[in-house]
Amino acid sequence: MDYAERAESAEKVLQLTCPEVRQLKIICFPYLKLEVNFMPIDFGSLKKVAEGKTKIIYENPEDPKTAYMVFKDDITAGDGVKHDVIKGKALVDWKTNRDIFELLNRKGVRTHHVSCPQEKVVLVKKLDRKINLEVVSRRIAAGSILKWANIAEGTRFNPVITQFHYKDDPLHDPMLDDKYVDYIVKAKGGNEYSEMLRINAEVFIHLEAAFAEFDIQLVDMKLEYGIIEGDVYLIDEITGGSFRLWPYAHKNPNLNQSNVLKELNPEGRLDKDTYRMGENVDNVLTKFEEIAKVTAKFADL
C-alpha cells in the first residue's frame, strides 16, 4: 500500500470510528508527512446553551456528554462594569487555557477539559450542575485582601490560603465565612467544599511550580467548579484573567520569608491587573501574549 492509499485508509478509519476527530480542523500524520483537512465546526447550526462575559457554550449534537466552549475577544473588570473588546484576545486565551489544562490533566487533576478541536474552541465535559462560587487561593497578598484584611502587600502565605466567593457581580462576589464553611464540611458533610479546597490547593502547587520554571511567581488565582457525573470537577477557563503573575525581581529570590515583595517585580505583572489599572488594550494583549508564550512551554514539564 502506497502513502496515498495509507492516508485514505487512515482518514476512513477516523471518520468511521471517531466522530470527535472528524471535527478537527487539521489532523497530522507525521509518519506520512501529510495533513488531512476537515471542515471547521459550524456553530451557526448549533444550539447556544449559555453565554458569559468571555465565552459561549454550545451543545455538541454528536455527543450529549460534552459541549463546546468558545472564547470571545471580550474583557471585563470591576464586576463587569468595565468592558472592552480586544481583537485577538480569544485566540491568546485559548492557547493559555489549552496549555494549562493539558498540564493539569497530565498531573491527574479532575478537569472538564477534553480537547481543542479548533482554534478558540474547547471540547469540555458537560456539566450536571455548576457550583456558583469562585474559589480563590493566595500565596502572596495582593489586590483586595490588602484592604479588607489589612494585610501588607507581599505577605507570603504558607500554606496557601483559600476562600470561597459567591459568584454575583451586582453583589460584588461576597466572600463566604471561613468558619461557617468549615462547619458545613464537618457537620453537614459538605464534600463539595472539601473537594474544591483540595483541588484548588493542588492546582495552585502545580501551576506555581510550572511558572517558577520561568522565573515567575503565581501570586493568586480564582477557579470555578461544577458537578459531572456526581463528582466535583475543575471547569471554566484558566487564562490571564484567572490569576496574578509577578516576575522575579532577580535570580534566585528568597521566597521563604514572611514578606517577599522585594523579591518580586509587581510592576512587571503579566495579568489582568494591567487592564484593571487602566493600561491601553494593546498593552494588555501584549501581556496576555507573554503568558501564552510561557504556557506553551508547559508541554515540556
Side-chain angles (χ1 to χ4, degrees):
M1 184 182 293
D2 62 22
Y3 278 2
E5 290 173 329
R6 290 166 66 186
E8 183 179 0
S9 176
E11 184 177 356
K12 285 179 180 178
V13 170
L14 287 170
Q15 290 174 337
L16 288 171
T17 63
C18 191
E20 289 178 8
V21 172
R22 290 207 308 272
Q23 295 157 346
L24 285 170
K25 192 173 184 180
I26 297 177
I27 302 293
C28 295
F29 298 92
Y31 68 93
L32 295 177
K33 297 183 179 180
L34 179 72
E35 291 183 348
V36 179
N37 293 291
F38 295 92
M39 293 297 291
I41 302 165
D42 177 16
F43 289 104
S45 65
L46 301 184
K47 179 182 177 182
K48 184 188 295 185
V49 177
E51 181 169 4
K53 291 178 286 189
T54 60
K55 298 176 298 299
I56 305 173
I57 306 298
Y58 292 94
E59 68 174 3
N60 179 11
E62 296 197 6
D63 180 5
K65 291 186 177 182
T66 64
Y68 293 112
M69 184 174 78
V70 182
F71 282 89
K72 299 160 56 176
D73 282 333
D74 298 65
I75 187 170
T76 65
D79 298 324
V81 174
K82 185 176 183 180
H83 174 249
D84 284 284
V85 176
I86 305 178
K87 186 177 180 181
K89 174 181 173 292
L91 180 58
V92 174
D93 281 350
W94 171 78
K95 291 178 180 179
T96 298
N97 183 80
R98 174 200 62 197
D99 299 334
I100 288 177
F101 269 94
E102 288 182 354
L103 171 69
L104 296 177
N105 282 353
R106 291 196 301 275
K107 297 293 185 180
V109 178
R110 199 161 56 220
T111 83
H112 73 154
H113 182 94
V114 177
S115 64
C116 291
Q118 65 186 54
E119 289 184 349
K120 307 181 191 178
V121 180
V122 185
L123 183 69
V124 298
K125 296 175 182 177
K126 188 176 180 180
L127 291 177
D128 298 330
R129 173 171 61 88
K130 183 177 181 180
I131 299 174
N132 203 33
L133 295 172
E134 291 180 340
V135 188
V136 179
S137 289
R138 304 174 187 271
R139 173 70 78 193
I140 312 296
S144 64
I145 195 173
L146 307 182
K147 297 179 180 179
W148 61 258
N150 193 28
I151 294 176
E153 185 178 32
T155 298
R156 185 175 188 271
F157 303 110
N158 188 27
V160 168
I161 62 170
T162 299
Q163 288 120 3
F164 295 96
H165 292 255
Y166 180 61
K167 189 175 172 63
D168 189 294
D169 283 345
L171 293 179
H172 307 292
D173 302 332
M175 186 172 69
L176 276 63
D177 180 73
D178 287 343
K179 291 182 179 179
Y180 191 72
V181 170
D182 187 56
Y183 164 74
I184 292 174
V185 171
K186 293 177 179 178
K188 296 181 177 291
N191 177 65
E192 293 175 0
Y193 288 97
S194 58
E195 276 295 276
M196 287 186 283
L197 284 168
R198 181 189 66 79
I199 296 172
N200 237 61
E202 181 182 359
V203 170
F204 197 101
I205 296 303
H206 287 317
L207 295 187
E208 183 179 43
F211 281 113
E213 292 288 329
F214 306 98
D215 296 335
I216 298 170
Q217 173 65 50
L218 176 60
V219 173
D220 54 31
M221 68 179 192
K222 62 178 180 180
L223 305 179
E224 297 188 23
Y225 292 86
I227 304 298
I228 300 174
E229 297 183 347
D231 289 321
V232 175
Y233 275 73
L234 175 62
I235 65 165
D236 199 54
E237 65 177 278
I238 306 180
T239 62
S242 305
F243 40 50
R244 287 185 175 90
L245 296 173
W246 292 354
Y248 293 169
H250 50 81
K251 283 289 185 181
N252 302 315
N254 178 11
L255 299 176
N256 293 312
Q257 50 185 317
S258 60
N259 192 298
V260 295
L261 190 59
K262 292 182 179 180
E263 307 296 316
L264 303 174
N265 177 21
E267 298 304 315
R269 59 181 56 86
L270 301 174
D271 50 68
K272 200 169 79 170
D273 266 357
T274 56
Y275 178 68
R276 296 185 185 100
M277 294 175 176
E279 287 199 31
N280 69 63
V281 294
D282 290 336
N283 287 345
V284 173
L285 182 61
T286 297
K287 295 287 188 178
F288 280 27
E289 288 171 339
E290 289 182 38
I291 298 172
K293 289 176 182 177
V294 171
T295 60
K297 301 172 185 176
F298 283 7
D300 299 325
L301 300 180

